Amino acid sequence: LGRYVLCYELASGGMATVYLARADGPGGFGKLVALKLVHPHLAKQREFVEMFFDEARVASRIVHPNVCSVFDFGIQDGTYFLAMDYLVGETVARLMRAAWRTPAVATRPGTTRVFARIVADACEGLHAAHESRGDDGRHLGVVHRDVTPQNLFAGYDGSVRVVDFGVAMSTGSIHHTVAGTLKGKIPYMSPEQVNLEVIDRRSDIWSLGVCLWEMLAGRRLFARASDLETLKAVLGAPIPLASSAGPHVPALFDPIVARALSRDRDARYATAREMGRDLAIAIGALGS
């Protein structure tokens, strides 16, 4: 595909396929990248092409160690592509499943600290996204809208990155969500997102709070047998304290999780950075 050599399919979703690819250049230059390609049948549909344009525009503006970098975008032989950092590691979703298959591992104090540290780092990545600006210096008003364990990535080198801005919202977006349409995964949506209200960065903070609760507790928070039941749970089901999962979850995490998961968005953290700093303080208080 142009100067990229497709090597291996890494993942495929409803909108695109991601390949491990090699960018070739003169003098023996070669760099491994993750190449995201829109499915051929969707490349002919304006809605999906606009969403891909928006993802490229938003993601390329966010330069931060805790966000997966996007550094190339284009169309080659009718195929729209996005070139990103090739990350070597695991999604947090996979880490959670692996940890909780062995409760003795999941309930170690060290595991709890690692999960909390992952979320604290993700807070910095989200904050960078929320604070991103356009060429005119104005805030882009970015909201990720799909913060889930699948979109948090932990590298084998210890790095943490927020990935996939495919349904992100921002000012100046080409594609506009049709009224009455939900974007994102229901168990992680904020109440205002479920109610189709205007959302802001605090919606992502709620979603990150759900991730943190599930990582600490080792079970799903709002997911139910059907989408309708899940929607009802997001809007009104009691939210247990994270520490109720067992003694492996220190109570000092409870106020942090509870604040992130306040259904009154004005009572939530105003920024992801504030949440991350509280988590860092709590992690430090636990000691080594």
Side-chain angles (χ1 to χ4, degrees), residues 23-195:
D24 287 336
F29 172 84
K31 177 181 174 61
L32 291 178
V33 303
L35 207 63
K36 186 174 184 177
L37 277 57
V38 172
H39 295 318
H41 67 284
L42 297 180
K44 300 176 183 178
Q45 298 183 31
R46 179 178 175 181
E47 174 188 2
F48 291 98
V49 172
E50 288 179 348
M51 289 174 63
F52 205 59
F53 282 171
D54 285 337
E55 179 181 2
R57 185 180 62 87
V58 169
S60 65
R61 293 285 182 184
I62 308 166
V63 181
H64 192 275
N66 297 120
V67 176
C68 181
S69 296
V70 169
F71 51 83
D72 195 9
F73 171 72
I75 181 171
Q76 179 73 38
D77 300 326
T79 299
Y80 292 95
F81 68 88
L82 197 66
M84 308 169 288
D85 284 337
Y86 172 53
L87 306 179
V88 182
E90 306 288 347
T91 66
V92 167
R94 290 190 66 182
L95 288 181
M96 290 168 62
R97 288 195 297 269
W100 287 99
R101 277 197 295 265
T102 310
V105 172
T107 55
R108 288 175 185 165
T111 302
T112 300
R113 285 196 294 271
V114 166
F115 280 148
R117 183 72 257 172
I118 286 172
V119 175
D121 288 350
C123 282
E124 282 298 308
L126 272 180
H127 183 71
H130 296 155
E131 289 291 306
S132 58
R133 297 172 181 265
D135 290 336
D136 58 3
R138 296 182 182 179
H139 277 111
L140 293 176
V142 172
V143 183
H144 188 287
R145 293 201 294 185
D146 197 20
V147 177
T148 67
Q150 290 78 14
N151 288 334
L152 301 178
F153 196 92
Y156 293 142
D157 61 357
S159 63
V160 174
R161 288 181 175 88
V162 179
V163 304
D164 198 349
F165 285 78
V167 297
M169 179 189 77
S170 71
T171 57
S173 293
I174 300 172
H175 174 74
H176 297 283
T177 302
V178 177
T181 303
L182 291 173
K183 294 284 188 179
K185 297 177 182 66
I186 294 174
Y188 299 93
M189 289 182 181
S190 65
E192 61 269 23
Q193 193 174 357
V194 167
N195 283 326

Side-chain angles (χ1 to χ4, degrees), residues 150-283:
Q150 290 78 14
N151 288 334
L152 301 178
F153 196 92
Y156 293 142
D157 61 357
S159 63
V160 174
R161 288 181 175 88
V162 179
V163 304
D164 198 349
F165 285 78
V167 297
M169 179 189 77
S170 71
T171 57
S173 293
I174 300 172
H175 174 74
H176 297 283
T177 302
V178 177
T181 303
L182 291 173
K183 294 284 188 179
K185 297 177 182 66
I186 294 174
Y188 299 93
M189 289 182 181
S190 65
E192 61 269 23
Q193 193 174 357
V194 167
N195 283 326
L196 303 176
E197 300 170 13
V198 175
I199 61 173
D200 57 28
R201 65 174 71 192
R202 293 171 295 179
S203 182
D204 286 343
I205 291 170
W206 166 281
S207 302
L208 199 54
V210 178
C211 293
L212 177 59
W213 192 98
E214 293 183 349
M215 291 162 74
L216 295 176
R219 60 186 176 89
R220 303 298 297 277
L221 178 54
F222 296 119
R224 301 292 190 269
S226 70
D227 286 348
L228 180 59
E229 291 178 86
T230 301
L231 289 168
K232 290 179 178 178
V234 169
L235 293 175
I239 302 174
L241 294 174
S243 62
S244 67
H248 67 283
V249 183
L252 53 78
F253 287 119
D254 285 336
I256 300 172
V257 179
R259 187 174 174 186
L261 291 177
S262 171
R263 289 191 170 96
D264 175 4
R265 68 174 108 180
D266 290 331
R268 272 179 230 153
Y269 287 102
T271 70
R273 172 163 285 171
E274 290 180 15
M275 179 180 173
R277 285 175 173 171
D278 277 0
L279 276 172
I281 292 170
I283 295 166

